[in-house]
Amino acid sequence: MANPRKFFVGGNWKMNGDKASIDGILQCLNDGDLSANTEVVVSPPAIYLGYVKQNAKNNISVAAQNCYKVPKGAFTGEISPAMLKDVGIEWVILGHSERRHVFGETDDLIAQKVAHALSVGIKVIACIGEKLEEREAGHTEEVVFRQTKAIADAITDWTNVVVAYEPVWAIGTGKTATPQQAQDVHDSLRKWMSENISPAVATSTRIIYGGSVNAGNCRELAGQADVDGFLVGGASLKPEFVQIINARR
Ligand code: PEP
């Protein structure tokens, strides 16, 4: 049976870029020959969301890198999903390892954010992934199942969720998971979802891989049965992002 899940590639620009460099990235994407079979989302720093939305072609969606768990109020420095919606942003990345490990976000907070964003109509790229010491201790599945369960306990509809498996040891390090390592975790996660959420959710939910994906390794990773796309950091700021978008062409 053909893969029922549309290939998905997100570019997480993290806290990088200025108008001039964003113009360059957008020119590359707007002029690029992007596969119509890939859903493409780019995620600039919050202050550039409107600028990117205005200047990206409409085959490219835009994601925030974070948002809070309530619509408004005394939460200095935060933005809400209602505000994202108000300015035409469709997606948000939640639970990125840098939010978890630099800013101390817990499974519970991330689950509340995911539930709130979905309730407002913002689609979510929900990130999970184990640290190096957790992998070395043989705890990879335990960690990613726990992180996924926190989200599963908070939501009922997975239609607008993409799960990004991003082993922390592979993010920004140049150490990509092997295609087999990625496939093994994606396969285990899909089985966990089938048993603990529903077989339909397991079949339809995209599980994308993130961690040092580049033009050189994307095709082999994309060839894995349960790898439904990528969340790309560093390489999403470079022209090779177009090759990654087209990895399954
Ligand atoms: C990321 O930030 O989500 C990421 C995967 O980064 P990189 O591709 O640079 O490892």
Side-chain angles (χ1 to χ4, degrees):
M1 196 183 73
N3 189 328
R5 300 174 294 271
K6 185 167 184 174
F7 201 66
F8 182 104
V9 175
N12 174 16
W13 297 352
K14 313 193 192 208
M15 197 176 73
N16 293 299
D18 52 24
K19 276 193 182 176
S21 65
I22 288 173
D23 286 345
I25 300 166
L26 288 181
Q27 189 180 2
C28 197
L29 293 174
N30 287 340
D31 296 349
D33 177 21
L34 311 186
S35 169
N37 297 325
T38 304
E39 184 167 2
V40 180
V41 178
V42 293
S43 188
I47 197 160
Y48 297 115
L49 283 167
Y51 186 74
V52 173
K53 179 75 192 161
Q54 272 166 19
N55 291 292
K57 275 195 183 162
N58 61 9
N59 58 336
I60 299 161
S61 297
V62 183
Q65 296 175 12
N66 184 28
C67 67
Y68 200 48
K69 61 175 179 173
V70 293
K72 63 179 180 173
F75 301 102
T76 302
E78 295 292 320
I79 55 174
S80 74
M83 293 166 183
L84 296 176
K85 202 165 182 194
D86 192 36
V87 296
I89 304 302
E90 295 164 72
W91 286 89
V92 65
I93 298 172
L94 291 171
H96 190 276
S97 72
E98 288 144 23
R99 298 302 318 172
R100 291 177 186 269
H101 303 304
V102 181
F103 299 100
E105 293 194 9
T106 61
D107 289 347
D108 184 45
L109 175 61
I110 292 158
Q112 290 179 55
K113 289 182 174 196
V114 172
H116 179 60
L118 293 175
S119 76
V120 173
I122 298 290
K123 297 183 257 191
V124 174
I125 301 165
C127 304
I128 57 172
E130 82 287 1
K131 294 193 267 191
L132 183 61
E133 59 267 32
E134 292 166 332
R135 173 164 282 263
E136 285 175 347
H139 295 152
T140 299
E141 290 193 351
E142 183 186 321
V143 171
V144 298
F145 294 168
R146 187 200 74 224
Q147 292 169 334
T148 311
K149 182 177 186 308
I151 296 168
D153 287 347
I155 70 172
T156 50
D157 186 352
W158 285 75
T159 315
N160 290 327
V161 181
V162 168
V163 175
Y165 168 58
E166 301 206 295
V168 181
W169 49 270
I171 297 181
T173 58
K175 281 188 208 153
T176 323
T178 64
Q180 193 59 50
Q181 282 174 320
Q183 169 58 24
D184 287 349
V185 177
H186 288 219
D187 177 51
S188 308
L189 260 172
R190 213 178 291 287
K191 290 197 175 105
W192 184 92
M193 291 171 96
S194 182
E195 285 159 17
N196 294 278
I197 306 172
S198 75
V201 166
T203 304
S204 59
T205 302
R206 285 163 301 176
I207 305 177
I208 63 174
Y209 168 79
S212 298
V213 175
N214 59 39
N217 58 30
C218 62
R219 291 187 79 83
E220 207 187 336
L221 282 159
Q224 303 302 307
D226 289 287
V227 174
D228 302 317
F230 303 117
L231 185 57
V232 185
S236 71
L237 296 160
K238 301 179 190 162
E240 70 184 279
F241 190 51
V242 173
Q243 286 161 266
I244 300 171
I245 290 168
N246 293 334
R248 200 180 253 177
R249 184 171 252 176

